[in-house]
Amino acid sequence: MTAGRDLALWRRESLEAVESAPDLAALDAVRIALLGRKGSLTEALKGLAALSPDEKRAQGVALNALRDEFEQALRRRQHDLAEAELERRLSAEKVDVTLSVAPRDAPEAQGMRHPLTQAMAEIAEIFAGMGFRLAEGPDIEDDDYNFTRLNMPPDHPARQMQDSFYLPLGADGVQRLPRTHTSAVQVRAMLAQGAPMRTLIMGRVFRCDYDITHTPMFHQVEGLVIEDGIHMGHLKGCLTEFLRAYFGLDQVRLRFRPSFFPFTEPSAEIDIACSRREGVLRLGEGEDWLEILGCGMVHSRVLQAGGLDPLRWRGFAFGAGVERLAMLKYGIPDLRTFFDSDLRWLRHYGLPASGAPSAAMGFVGR
């Protein structure tokens, strides 16, 4: 502060300059004029060195209090101007969502089919050629269809294999949950169709898991075939043909490893031959193996739960994660990105929206 200048007048003029700043740029200019390296308040504080001890003490207290007041006023005005600028932008940039989309010719403006949608359409097409029909079931399933009818009674340890989102017990005493697997539709399909049958089930499933290869919601594809005289050889032929067609391979080598699923016996995990040379994964060739899906012969208790005589009918079932199949085919490294709604990701991994999924398969009711 220059000598002889009235402190109260200077304070009032400075605060008025802050409050009258029309925009953030003007406000920053006021801040620099007051508090910058060569600002008026900064110079006044430097001038304290030339004062007597008593004057220095009195002036120092007054100037520091004034600096605090200026800083608070600047912050308030900055907040008000930022809010006003946001309101202005929101008003200027709002879009009438009821209007038709303006036609655009740029390639990036064209719609793209999500890799998950594409994968499900391709899977449905392949199995339609083998005589499969699509079946549906509810996303919110009861404990009976999700576990008990699939050979998992309440005390069965296999229930611990899946982290489930249980819902509060219903007024009817029925325990419900978002289904943990599409296998929950197997018994519903048997009861609806009877035998013989070739059924394909695709849809959302839910589990308490989240990392690079797991999400709380994902999609599964499940196949169920029940006929007279079915055996593991038919299962192997069906899955070999599917994987060969889906990945576009002339030949495919598979390895069946013994495993455990409560709803099939015997059960197996299937590995597909692959190579990882030079950091590139190639399927169908090489000496390495990659786990790709699970399968087995339908357990006799599951057949009974579906109203079928296990002495008359036999069947096989298989299941895989749709996202996993899409990741392997399209080279997508992280499962979580499927659900990020990132347009940049979709433009990179999306496919042309020409064509539509086949309606040739039809649907079996819930």
Side-chain angles (χ1 to χ4, degrees):
M1 183 176 63
T2 58
R5 187 167 188 182
D6 182 77
L7 186 64
L9 177 61
W10 181 43
R11 170 185 174 276
R12 185 171 65 251
E13 291 175 348
S14 299
L15 291 176
E16 287 176 356
V18 170
E19 292 301 322
S20 62
D23 53 43
L24 292 173
L27 182 66
D28 195 53
V30 174
R31 179 190 64 80
I32 293 172
L34 287 172
L35 305 176
R37 293 179 58 185
K38 296 184 179 181
S40 55
L41 183 58
T42 305
E43 293 295 329
L45 289 168
K46 290 179 181 179
L48 292 175
L51 301 178
S52 66
D54 291 339
E55 290 177 325
K56 184 185 296 184
R57 187 179 304 109
Q59 286 283 355
V61 171
L63 292 176
N64 281 316
L66 198 57
R67 180 174 60 186
D68 291 342
E69 189 174 7
F70 287 167
E71 289 176 346
Q72 291 177 14
L74 286 165
R75 283 196 294 269
R76 286 196 302 270
R77 185 58 178 165
Q78 182 182 35
H79 177 269
D80 292 343
L81 289 172
E83 289 287 320
E85 174 63 16
L86 179 60
E87 287 295 327
R88 185 195 66 77
R89 289 184 57 193
L90 290 175
S91 298
E93 298 175 7
K94 66 182 180 181
V95 177
D96 185 352
V97 296
T98 64
L99 293 176
S100 301
V101 177
R104 297 182 181 179
D105 297 326
E108 63 272 12
Q110 303 304 310
M112 304 291 286
R113 178 177 289 181
H114 195 285
L116 181 60
T117 304
Q118 180 70 18
M120 295 177 77
E122 291 179 3
I123 292 169
E125 289 284 357
I126 293 168
F127 281 109
M130 301 183 195
F132 283 73
R133 297 179 62 200
L134 281 173
E136 292 184 304
D139 288 352
I140 302 301
E141 187 58 273
D142 63 54
D143 183 90
D144 186 41
Y145 283 99
N146 197 79
F147 290 124
T148 307
R149 292 183 184 235
L150 295 175
N151 195 31
M152 288 181 277
D155 59 347
H156 199 290
R159 290 188 182 227
Q160 305 305 316
M161 296 168 58
Q162 303 178 28
D163 297 322
S164 308
F165 293 102
Y166 282 103
L167 300 177
L169 196 66
D172 56 2
V174 176
Q175 177 66 70
R176 294 181 174 86
L177 70 161
R179 64 185 181 190
T180 59
H181 46 201
T182 47
S183 303
V185 187
Q186 283 193 20
V187 173
R188 290 184 179 275
M190 291 184 219
L191 293 172
Q193 285 186 262
M197 63 183 301
R198 296 186 185 186
T199 297
L200 190 72
I201 306 154
M202 283 193 289
R204 296 175 294 182
V205 296
F206 308 84
R207 297 181 191 175
C208 302
D209 214 346
Y210 187 73
D211 57 37
I212 193 171
T213 57
H214 300 86
T215 54
M217 189 277 290
F218 58 102
H219 296 75
Q220 279 189 339
V221 55
E222 182 112 2
L224 175 65
V225 174
I226 298 175
E227 294 181 7
D228 187 16
I230 284 288
H231 54 72
M232 286 288 288
H234 297 116
L235 169 62
K236 180 178 179 180
C238 175
L239 294 179
T240 299
E241 177 60 24
F242 162 65
L243 293 172
R244 185 197 64 77
Y246 180 74
F247 290 112
L249 303 172
D250 293 331
Q251 299 293 330
V252 60
R253 288 196 301 125
L254 301 179
R255 179 175 68 178
F256 285 66
R257 287 181 292 105
S259 186
F260 167 77
F261 303 109
F263 30 81
T264 54
E265 180 59 38
S267 303
E269 297 277 3
I270 297 182
D271 301 332
I272 187 170
C274 67
S275 68
R276 296 181 173 88
R277 291 191 299 270
E278 300 176 354
V280 177
L281 176 66
R282 292 182 174 85
L283 298 178
E285 61 181 54
E287 300 304 318
D288 289 337
W289 297 94
L290 182 68
E291 179 183 321
I292 198 164
L293 54 84
C295 63
M297 301 301 295
V298 180
H299 199 288
S300 59
R301 290 178 181 171
V302 177
L303 292 173
Q304 287 178 322
L308 301 179
D309 181 1
L311 299 178
R312 170 71 176 86
W313 301 103
R314 299 191 66 191
F316 65 75
F318 55 86
V322 180
E323 286 86 350
R324 177 168 174 77
L325 293 173
M327 289 169 72
L328 291 173
K329 182 165 185 174
Y330 305 124
I332 301 171
D334 191 329
L335 175 63
R336 294 168 293 188
T337 56
F338 278 82
F339 310 108
D340 282 346
S341 300
D342 189 330
L343 284 176
R344 297 167 301 176
W345 182 90
L346 183 57
R347 288 176 184 134
H348 180 77
Y349 288 109
L351 294 102
S354 59
S358 172
M361 298 184 69
F363 282 84
V364 177
R366 296 175 185 266

